Amino acid sequence: MLRALHIRNYILIDSLDIEFPEGLVIITGQTGAGKSILIGALGLLAGGKADPSMIGGDAADCVVEGEFETAEGLRIVRRVIYRSGRSRCFIDDCPVQIQELSSLCDRLIDIHSQHKSLLLTDKAFQLSLLDSYAGNDGLLEECRRLWTELGECRKELEEASERLKKSRAGHDYNQSRLGELEAAGLKGGEIEELEEEQKALANAEEIRERLAAAVACFTPRDAEGISASLQEARRQIEHAGRYLPSVHSLAQRLNSARIELEDILAEIEAAAESAESPGMRLETVEQRLSLLYRLMKKHGCASVEELMELRDSLSGELSGTEELEEKCRETEQRLAATEKAYESCSGKLSAARREAAGRFGAEVEGHLHFLELERASFEVEVNPRSAGACGSDEVCFKFAADGRAGVDVAKCASGGEISRIMLSLKAMMAPLKGMPTLIFDEIDSGVSGSVADKMGSMICEIGRSMQVFSITHLPQVAAKGSAHYLVSKHFDDAAGHDVSGITLLEGEDRVREIARLLSGSTITPEALANARALINEN
């Protein structure tokens, strides 16, 4: 319940601190006194649009704060609006986003103003009422979840199918390219090795001649071989070293040179022996090089390594096609299973709606008869529609005031009839939704006399199980409240402008206010007596 309301600098309200009791709270006041200002302030707490024009006088900001008694304890909700147009929201003195504030207040207050009666003609609103009455919250949640999953599956399948289509379009071409590259047996660095081998094979004869000439240089025809000469020189220097020690090192160097030259000669001779005759090998190497050059040119590659990268890429793409095919199959299976689950859930939801529709219509009809629409009929028609998040049904509220066959309520109900239908619906739904505080802003507009008295009784009955605010101009309703507040406006000399305020009426003050509602600005003794009688009846 709304325990207290604190307002600072909001339009015509300079300062207001007021507490409210449980039960039915009546608020009255002359036209223009500021009743709508109170509704606007509560609307701000519920997440309504903030505007700098709401700030009263020359103040820098305005503040609206509500104290709510909940099952979890006291919750304090506050909204601050600044001249810049920016606003801040607080729950229990902690800053929050506007969405969080609105979400909380949706569970704390339900403001029913006159324009909200237009919701009665909204198909989504009608469906939500029937679902609340039928207790379909669990089925609805599951239906919405499955519908979301269906959308995700369909999108995923569409995207995978499109990728698969593109992949398949080049599948044969890529398969051919991959086969050619795989058949080539590519190896890294191969082209450089082949080019070296091709160069050697092409010049094999000259290589053999040059190597043979180099070997001959080691054994001159007019002298001993180089190795034997060096060996003899070493012996002579060793003999000389017996008398000249400084030449000993030269003998060692000559021996090292001899050994190195012998190694060189051995390698030259081995190279000469292994020098390959070009034969068929040159042709084989040149054919291999030609193949590699052709593949590089064909595929726009600068090296064998790039050809190998292309081969691996094509292999991955073709493997990806198989993965896409598998993914499409799995997604199709998941989509079919989700469609089946959605159809089952939607069917259960539809059955629950149809089962509840008759009871719902009969209960509303009973309320309307109580509100002196004795011949009224009210029917809830559940019709099939295209599938959606809320199932495959749409609801039509059919109404007739004269006992004839009902038609869509949007096409036939008058303002007074709409008021009575909405009150009937609120009386049914408020306990079901567990709404702590219900606010009626002139829901009794368009009715009078005994109908107004019965509407007051119905509002009063709702107030027995929850806190209800009724902003009214009808004395029959005002007399039924457990607490009565008067909204008034006066010129404040200190502030230099009109200000609105709200005060609790008791005793004769309340009698006079109800008398004013009965007779207007001139309060007669008869009106006072009638007011006392109305109060005493309740």
Side-chain angles (χ1 to χ4, degrees), residues 2 5 37-47 64 68 109 111 439:
L2 177 61
L5 186 64
I37 295 176
L38 281 175
I39 294 296
L42 289 170
L44 275 179
L45 290 184
V64 179
F68 293 89
I109 53 175
I111 302 174
I439 300 172

Side-chain angles (χ1 to χ4, degrees), residues 69-87:
E69 199 73 57
T70 72
E72 296 80 27
L74 182 67
R75 306 302 301 273
I76 299 175
V77 180
R78 183 167 67 254
R79 186 93 179 269
V80 183
I81 303 172
Y82 301 95
R83 286 285 179 189
S84 63
R86 186 172 62 90
S87 73

Side-chain angles (χ1 to χ4, degrees), residues 453 456-457 460 464 475-481 510 532-538:
D453 182 65
S457 297
C460 187
R464 297 186 193 282
Q476 297 93 329
V477 177
K480 296 184 183 297
R510 185 184 185 195
R532 290 190 182 91
L534 282 174
I535 293 172
N536 290 333
E537 287 176 3
N538 298 287

